[in-house]
Amino acid sequence: MWGRNVYDSIAKFLQFQLTVNVVAVVVAFTGACITQDSPLKAVQMLWVNLIMDTLASLALATEPPGEELLLRQPYGRDQPLLSRTMLKNILGHAAYQLVIIFTLLFAGAPAAPRGGQGARGAQRG
């Protein structure tokens, strides 16, 4: 039971990490090519990885095994860790996140307040 739980946790962790890293690399590369400046600096990328690694490992390490794990067949030794379904999930979630991030990056700038002038910081005379 514990072996299957560890295997499932590793697979979920890999799926999460690969999704986050694919999005970060695509955003950094595309942003650098289009805007001539990377939207994520090196230190910001390190912080994203640190936070995502920590949160994902805590969430998956505390998942208790259930009796339903014993009802399914074990995975074979020659079966890949990243299945076709996992790759579809990684690419689907990455595409969704990229749409949101690129919308905020390229179309969100006109909607953002400029120069610290928000609702309270309007011109004082």
Side-chain angles (χ1 to χ4, degrees), residues 17 20-21 24 42-55:
Q17 285 300 311
V20 169
N21 286 322
V43 174
Q44 292 171 328
M45 291 274 280
L46 289 172
W47 274 106
V48 166
N49 278 329
L50 178 69
I51 291 169
M52 291 298 116
D53 289 346
T54 304
L55 294 177

Side-chain angles (χ1 to χ4, degrees), residues 22-45:
V22 164
V23 170
V25 168
V26 171
V27 167
F29 179 76
T30 308
C33 290
I34 293 174
T35 64
Q36 303 300 319
D37 187 30
S38 178
L40 293 172
K41 306 298 183 219
V43 174
Q44 292 171 328
M45 291 274 280

Side-chain angles (χ1 to χ4, degrees), residues 54-109:
T54 304
L55 294 177
S57 62
L58 283 175
L60 295 176
T62 58
E63 187 173 340
E67 293 295 325
E68 68 275 358
L69 290 175
L70 295 176
L71 299 177
R72 74 158 201 248
Q73 292 292 323
Y75 295 110
R77 289 182 181 203
D78 58 343
Q79 203 167 13
L81 186 58
L82 293 176
S83 66
R84 183 179 298 264
T85 304
M86 286 177 62
L87 291 175
K88 287 179 186 177
N89 285 339
I90 290 169
L91 294 176
H93 286 270
Y96 174 73
Q97 291 177 20
L98 287 170
V99 166
I100 301 293
I101 290 173
F102 285 144
T103 301
L104 292 173
L105 184 63
F106 298 119

